[in-house]
Amino acid sequence: MQRTLLIDDEAAARLRMGHLLEKYANDITIIGEAQNGTMAVEKINTLRPDLVFLDIQMPDFNGFEVLSQLTHTPKIVFTTAFLQYAVRAFDVHSLDYLVKPISEDRFAQTMLKVKSTTWQQSAPNFQQLRQLFEQLQPEKAPFALTVKKGDRIILLRFEEITHLQAEDKYVTIHTLGGEKYLSDLSLNQLSDKLSDQFVRVHRATIINQRLILEAKRFFKNRFILTLRDGKGTNIRSSATYYRAIREVLGV
């Protein structure tokens, strides 16, 4: 009989795991639960379970930080919301994992491994696991530019920005409300911070392609682009960006 702890910050996930384990009551007994990393460390070191189902993402400590603080090393099965193709990287550390939502078939495979007397789990490299976890985190999608105005820091959401124009040492950021904000970053630096809804149409101009109202062909592979900004602002493109603009317009 393997003494087991369920560790997850979501009560519904712990309940689901309990239901899945009911079928294996002859081999598994649940001796406790924990809803955060602090409780997890305390209960694992105190109760010394044989097996732990450990959520990776939790308040205070993630699963790898929990492992690094243990004085007792049980068998570990990670539960995670990561896509399977990414989590397969954990296999090299002899750790099993379950991807939420957990199916009964996949859980059965894990239980075969758990019950196997040949599953000898080596001590993992906690630092390496933590680095791997951080590398697999999805990048946060940018949603705004920040500009300084006096002692204030203002967030300009992308959907509010109509275009950016470089002039002398500054870049002017124009908004739907008609406001103008100066940035001392270069247009190239600002471009790196923008989402793919923005397109460069001139060496000195970037526009929000979602706010293009219409486009008129101009001579020498250029366009006059009218923005949906309440003023009908016209932006003249350069021939250098002719192909990129055509892709945006779908022509």
Side-chain angles (χ1 to χ4, degrees):
M1 183 71 72
Q2 299 200 46
R3 301 164 64 253
T4 303
L5 279 177
L6 309 182
I7 300 173
D8 199 300
D9 63 319
E10 297 181 0
R14 299 195 303 272
L15 184 62
R16 168 65 174 165
M17 186 65 68
H19 287 162
L20 289 168
L21 285 168
E22 287 176 356
K23 187 184 296 186
Y24 305 92
N26 292 333
D27 305 293
I28 299 291
T29 180
I30 299 173
I31 61 172
E33 299 181 0
Q35 62 186 20
N36 57 51
T38 302
M39 291 177 61
V41 172
E42 180 183 352
K43 289 202 172 186
I44 293 173
N45 287 336
T46 301
L47 299 178
R48 304 179 70 82
D50 304 300
L51 172 68
V52 173
F53 289 90
L54 178 61
D55 187 22
I56 293 178
Q57 293 175 297
M58 294 184 295
D60 57 31
F61 304 132
N62 65 46
F64 304 130
E65 292 169 326
V66 168
L67 292 179
S68 68
Q69 299 179 64
L70 299 183
T71 58
H72 168 69
T73 307
K75 293 179 180 179
I76 299 292
V77 175
F78 280 131
T79 60
T80 173
F82 283 135
L83 295 175
Q84 291 195 29
Y85 77 87
V87 185
R88 289 190 188 284
F90 295 129
D91 286 343
V92 300
H93 301 284
S94 301
L95 298 169
D96 202 17
Y97 62 88
L98 292 166
V99 178
K100 303 174 184 178
I102 302 169
S103 70
E104 290 191 13
D105 289 344
R106 179 63 182 87
F107 190 76
Q109 294 175 26
T110 293
M111 292 309 297
L112 285 175
K113 184 180 288 188
V114 166
K115 292 188 292 183
S116 172
T117 57
T118 61
W119 186 25
Q120 299 296 325
Q121 178 177 297
S122 58
N125 183 319
F126 299 122
Q127 183 61 29
Q128 191 173 2
L129 279 172
R130 183 174 179 178
Q131 290 174 353
L132 178 59
F133 169 73
E134 292 172 351
Q135 291 168 6
L136 293 177
Q137 291 297 301
E139 293 186 7
K140 294 182 179 180
F143 67 93
L145 285 180
T146 57
V147 293
K148 294 180 181 179
K149 193 169 185 179
D151 60 352
R152 295 182 298 157
I153 297 177
I154 300 173
L155 270 68
L156 302 177
R157 295 182 177 274
F158 292 155
E159 60 268 23
E160 298 173 350
I161 298 172
T162 59
H163 60 294
L164 302 86
Q165 286 187 316
E167 190 173 356
D168 296 328
K169 296 181 179 180
Y170 297 94
V171 174
T172 303
I173 304 170
H174 300 259
T175 71
L176 280 170
E179 298 93 348
K180 299 178 183 179
Y181 298 89
L182 290 180
S183 173
D184 55 6
L185 296 178
S186 71
L187 200 60
N188 285 336
Q189 290 173 317
L190 289 169
S191 177
D192 290 339
K193 298 176 179 292
L194 294 169
S195 69
D196 57 9
Q197 73 191 70
F198 291 85
V199 60
R200 197 160 192 156
V201 299
H202 188 279
R203 179 177 57 84
T205 309
I206 294 174
I207 69 172
N208 186 339
Q209 60 182 289
R210 297 181 183 176
L211 295 177
I212 298 175
L213 177 63
E214 65 177 31
K216 294 180 181 178
R217 292 184 184 275
F218 202 52
F219 67 93
K220 293 185 179 180
N221 290 337
R222 293 185 289 176
F223 287 93
I224 301 294
L225 302 164
T226 302
L227 301 182
R228 187 182 288 107
D229 61 353
K231 298 184 297 183
T233 300
N234 289 323
I235 302 291
R236 183 180 297 177
S237 69
S238 68
T240 303
Y241 301 95
Y242 177 71
R243 182 173 297 178
I245 296 171
R246 287 193 60 184
E247 290 180 3
V248 168
L249 298 176
V251 297

